[in-house]
């Protein structure tokens, strides 16, 4: 891969879904030997730079991935401008980013929409585990992994 690709994952607080998506995707591209991908995550409503939620940390630890160093950050138009691809966890997140930076609309998708070729009116949301049980975090993680596998396939095919 000659060109560096910047991918931004976005959810609400950047403590659960997008933070898990970031570290999972980093592991997947490394495992597939894909180079030149910069991965960030951010949230639409981050009030202070907290770490990842304890349950997200646990679910990632169970997969052999360390999420303890993560710090939540607020998404900005500058981040959106620098990203080549923005993958949100819900259609509402996608809409918020398009409203915030309409000029970037053509590179903002929900994760499921991009991974599976779904339309925005389909059920394209990754379920929010915030405040729920560890099982919900695990289900959420599995949804993210399944979609990210498709994203990795797309990237590999585009750069073959």
């Amino acid at each position: 891969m000659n060109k560096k690709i910047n991918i931004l994952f976005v959810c609400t607080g950047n403590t659960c879904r997008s933070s898990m998506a970031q570290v999972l995707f980093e592991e997947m591209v490394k495992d597939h030997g894909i180079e030149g991908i910069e991965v960030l995550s951010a949230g639409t409503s981050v009030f202070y730079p907290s770490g990842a939620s304890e349950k997200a940390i646990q679910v990632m630890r169970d997969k052999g991935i360390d999420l303890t160093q993560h710090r939540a950050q607020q998404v900005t138009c500058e981040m959106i401008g620098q990203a080549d691809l923005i993958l949100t966890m819900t259609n509402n997140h996608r809409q918020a980013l398009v409203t915030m930076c309409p000029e970037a609309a053509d590179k903002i998708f929900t994760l499921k929409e991009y991974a599976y070729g779904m339309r925005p009116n389909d059920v394209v949301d990754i379920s929010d585990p915030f405040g729920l049980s560890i099982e919900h975090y695990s289900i959420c993680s599995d949804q993210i992994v399944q979609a990210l596998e498709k994203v990795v396939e797309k990237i590999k095919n585009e750069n073959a």
Side-chain angles (χ1 to χ4, degrees):
M1 182 178 301
N2 300 333
K3 181 183 179 283
K4 184 175 211 131
I5 298 173
N6 294 305
I7 298 177
L8 175 64
F9 292 100
V10 178
C11 69
T12 306
N14 191 217
T15 60
C16 303
R17 292 171 288 178
S18 59
S19 60
M20 289 194 296
Q22 177 183 353
V23 295
L24 286 164
F25 194 68
E26 287 170 340
E27 278 295 308
M28 292 170 107
V29 295
K30 185 173 75 175
D31 290 348
H32 284 271
I34 301 171
E35 297 179 357
I37 295 185
E38 179 76 28
V39 185
L40 291 173
S41 66
T44 58
S45 297
V46 176
F47 298 108
Y48 56 92
S50 62
S53 76
E54 285 302 317
K55 291 175 185 166
I57 290 171
Q58 179 60 50
V59 169
M60 292 300 96
R61 183 180 301 126
D62 292 347
K63 294 180 181 297
I65 300 172
D66 182 12
L67 190 55
T68 59
Q69 300 304 308
H70 176 77
R71 290 295 167 259
Q73 57 183 345
Q74 178 69 33
V75 69
T76 65
C77 272
E78 182 178 348
M79 282 179 186
I80 292 170
Q82 292 173 351
D84 297 301
L85 176 63
I86 299 128
L87 299 173
T88 67
M89 298 300 121
T90 70
N91 197 39
N92 284 341
H93 296 131
R94 185 178 65 77
Q95 291 294 83
L97 298 186
V98 168
T99 300
M100 191 173 148
C101 302
E103 67 282 0
D106 63 339
K107 62 181 179 179
I108 303 171
F109 304 88
T110 69
L111 175 56
K112 285 185 176 180
E113 175 188 9
Y114 186 80
Y116 303 118
M118 301 170 92
R119 296 181 312 276
N121 292 337
D122 293 335
V123 178
V124 294
D125 293 353
I126 298 287
S127 62
D128 187 358
F130 185 76
L132 301 175
S133 71
I134 193 80
E135 289 78 20
H136 285 90
Y137 278 79
S138 185
I139 291 166
C140 174
S141 168
D142 290 344
Q143 288 178 354
I144 292 169
V145 166
Q146 289 170 3
L148 290 179
E149 286 171 349
K150 297 292 185 190
V151 174
V152 168
E153 282 178 31
K154 280 186 164 196
I155 290 170
K156 284 174 70 174
N157 290 338
E158 288 172 5
N159 294 291

